[in-house]
Amino acid sequence: MNDLLERLRTGLPAEALISDPDIMASYAKDSAGFCDAGAPAAVVLPRTTEQVQHVMRTATALRTPVVPQGARTGLSGGANAVDGCIVLSLTKMDRILEISTVDRIAVVEPGVVNAVLSRAAADQGLYYPPDPSSWETCTIGGNIGTAAGGLCCVKYGVTAEYVLGLEVVLADGRLLTTGRRTAKGVAGYDLTRLFVGSEGSLGVVVKAVLALKPAPPRQLALAAEFSSAAAACDAICRIMERGHTPSLLELMDRTTIRAVNAMAQMGLPETTEALLLAAFDTPDPAADLAAVGELCAAAGATEIVPADDEAESELLLQARRLSLTALETVKSATMIDDVCVPRSKLGAMIEGTAVIAEKHDLTIGVCAHAGDGNTHPVVCFDHEDPDESRRARESFDEIMALGLELGGTITGEHGVGVLKKEWLGRELGPVGVEMQRGVKQAFDPLGLLNPGKLF
């Protein structure tokens, strides 16, 4: 280890290298539970591409694993350290290098916080749509690593659809440039998309060219109460079938609503079984909300409340953003699932999750990016109770199995990491796993980048 630290020091400023065990422990894991984490040999916080290259060259020379990290808001253990690794935290590479109103792009370093970029784009009359619930703290590099989504995906899509080009430091320290700055481009294999969602296992992103959109009108929201999740899911299917394009279509079940009220005293209706939130950022959002309100009523909504203004709309959306945080207060620990199913199967997914909760005698709250079919069942349990912890893990796995049975995927936006790697093989099949491992071998033949994740 002394040799490792000495070699790292030759190409890094003193403040970029951390070797104190207590401080390094704070970088050992992300926000996921049930995921093992090792003890790093060093933590590096580079500020330049050259410093990242130095770290990777040193790692290759000494055959030392490297775990790239962002803000560690991930929920799959994808940023967890392994014993003896270099944790490479990119949070200090936080510059917005360019925003072009003509080309409608932003060029950023990986440590830029999502909300910071969003506000900078808005100042120029532009819009960066991907908005994970942790947008105030998560970084663009982390968003790229996990192919993050957010509340607006139903209309605007996920992170992958906004990454035009990348600069990536490879395992041996070489710098690879992928993609483009232009609106169109199809030269060669799409290596850019390959890195998006790769969880730091193929290379270290040090710069990203991101597509921006013109700023949309301010959105207005609507809340609709339902006496069952099935009725709410029927409304969602009606909305999508009629061709509406909401900027947001979200679902909260009764458990989630009560948790949000308990934490933030927001006055949400606790008597309802499901609360559907819809929003439009069209030129006439009130008319769109009225049309959606009629569809909700036809599906059996017991109450429909359109927001009168932007402030009231934002209050509703804030309630949804607080869902995961609020559910974490129900018990001492949570496991947050991230199963995405076809929209037509959303009702079956939510009903099946309720059956699993009853079977294991657990509290499982569900919030969902309903317009995408992306559910977040949150298993609440006492981590000091071994039996309850066992039941929590079993229920988590059963929820993933249910998602696959319904034609879905084990993760819509949180990634595989450590938490779901045994399930990746079930989804991809043996040939799919073989091809993915071949890609990993091509980019990282020594297996140094984020080992133990994905496969």
Side-chain angles (χ1 to χ4, degrees):
M1 189 172 73
N2 288 337
D3 188 24
L4 171 65
L5 294 176
E6 287 303 315
R7 291 201 188 196
L8 288 173
R9 286 190 185 101
T10 63
L12 297 171
E15 66 273 12
L17 180 60
I18 297 172
S19 57
D20 180 279
D22 291 333
I23 299 176
M24 288 195 296
S26 68
Y27 288 86
K29 65 191 306 293
D30 64 17
S31 299
F34 276 99
C35 295
D36 293 333
V43 173
V44 179
L45 292 88
R47 290 185 180 272
T48 68
T49 296
E50 291 75 20
Q51 290 171 10
V52 175
Q53 289 180 286
H54 170 69
V55 169
M56 294 312 307
R57 290 178 184 129
T58 300
T60 294
L62 297 179
R63 302 300 194 264
T64 303
V66 176
V67 177
Q69 285 185 350
R72 302 192 308 282
T73 58
L75 295 168
S76 67
N80 285 11
V82 298
D83 284 334
C85 75
I86 301 168
V87 164
L88 186 59
S89 172
L90 285 304
T91 55
K92 298 295 185 183
M93 296 182 69
D94 59 358
R95 295 179 299 162
I96 298 175
L97 302 172
E98 179 187 354
I99 293 179
S100 170
T101 56
V102 174
D103 295 328
R104 293 182 182 171
I105 62 169
V107 182
V108 305
E109 292 182 326
V112 172
V113 171
N114 183 295
V116 171
L117 172 60
S118 297
R119 292 176 182 131
D123 288 343
Q124 301 295 321
L126 296 170
Y127 178 40
Y128 181 66
D131 62 341
S133 294
S134 58
W135 77 307
E136 292 282 4
T137 51
C138 66
T139 62
I140 295 299
N143 293 169
I144 292 170
T146 58
L151 304 189
C152 70
C153 296
V154 62
K155 180 174 182 178
Y156 292 103
V158 296
T159 296
E161 293 165 68
Y162 294 88
V163 182
L164 298 178
L166 296 170
E167 285 190 6
V168 182
V169 175
L170 300 177
D172 59 8
R174 289 179 296 165
L175 184 64
L176 170 68
T177 299
T178 76
R180 62 195 194 279
R181 291 172 56 101
T182 54
K184 296 170 66 177
V186 294
Y189 295 130
D190 190 349
L191 298 183
T192 302
R193 278 291 185 104
L194 189 59
F195 282 102
V196 179
S198 66
E199 302 185 33
S201 65
L202 302 180
V204 182
V205 173
V206 291
K207 187 184 294 184
V209 181
L210 305 173
L212 303 175
K213 289 185 174 293
R218 295 293 184 180
Q219 64 183 359
L220 280 182
L222 168 151
E225 301 175 38
F226 292 86
S227 58
S228 70
C233 293
D234 180 27
I236 292 160
C237 291
R238 291 171 186 248
I239 292 166
M240 301 308 293
E241 187 177 30
R242 292 293 181 89
H244 291 288
T245 54
S247 54
L248 173 146
L249 194 57
E250 297 287 312
L251 182 69
M252 300 165 64
D253 74 352
R254 186 176 184 177
T255 299
T256 306
I257 292 167
R258 289 184 170 185
V260 170
N261 277 344
M263 185 182 77
Q265 292 79 49
M266 299 196 74
L268 298 174
E270 295 192 359
T271 55
T272 187
E273 290 298 321
L275 184 68
L276 183 63
L277 303 176
F280 286 86
D281 57 6
T282 52
D284 188 5
D288 289 309
L289 288 180
V292 164
E294 291 178 4
L295 294 174
C296 288
T302 56
E303 187 78 19
I304 300 167
V305 182
D308 292 326
D309 53 34
E310 182 187 338
E312 191 174 346
S313 296
E314 186 53 39
L315 187 63
L316 290 173
L317 305 190
Q318 181 64 13
R320 171 60 184 88
R321 289 187 185 278
L322 290 173
S323 294
L324 297 183
T325 302
L327 286 166
E328 289 173 352
T329 68
V330 173
K331 289 269 188 154
S332 63
T334 59
M335 294 188 74
I336 304 173
D337 224 321
D338 172 37
V339 174
C340 190
V341 296
R343 295 185 192 102
S344 59
K345 301 294 185 181
L346 184 59
M349 183 68 207
I350 293 176
E351 289 177 349
T353 299
V355 171
I356 291 168
E358 183 176 0
K359 171 185 173 182
H360 291 281
D361 191 22
L362 291 167
T363 297
I364 302 179
V366 180
C367 53
H369 306 308
D372 303 321
N374 192 179
T375 65
H376 294 309
V378 181
V379 183
C380 307
F381 64 99
D382 181 356
H383 74 282
E384 294 184 352
D385 182 333
D387 183 65
E388 193 162 290
S389 296
R390 175 189 57 78
R391 286 183 279 124
R393 181 72 221 206
E394 289 177 359
S395 70
F396 185 89
D397 287 344
E398 288 180 22
I399 290 168
M400 283 192 288
L402 173 63
L404 291 181
E405 289 169 12
L406 294 173
T409 175
I410 60 170
T411 175
E413 58 188 5
H414 292 172
V416 175
V418 174
L419 192 61
K420 298 187 175 186
K421 68 177 186 177
E422 68 177 274
W423 283 90
L424 183 63
R426 302 192 197 189
E427 178 170 336
L428 298 181
V431 176
V433 171
E434 180 185 349
M435 293 298 101
Q436 300 238 347
R437 285 179 170 157
V439 171
K440 168 72 169 173
Q441 176 68 21
F443 280 91
D444 181 22
L446 298 177
L448 300 179
L449 282 164
N450 216 6
K453 315 297 168 56
L454 293 171
F455 309 110

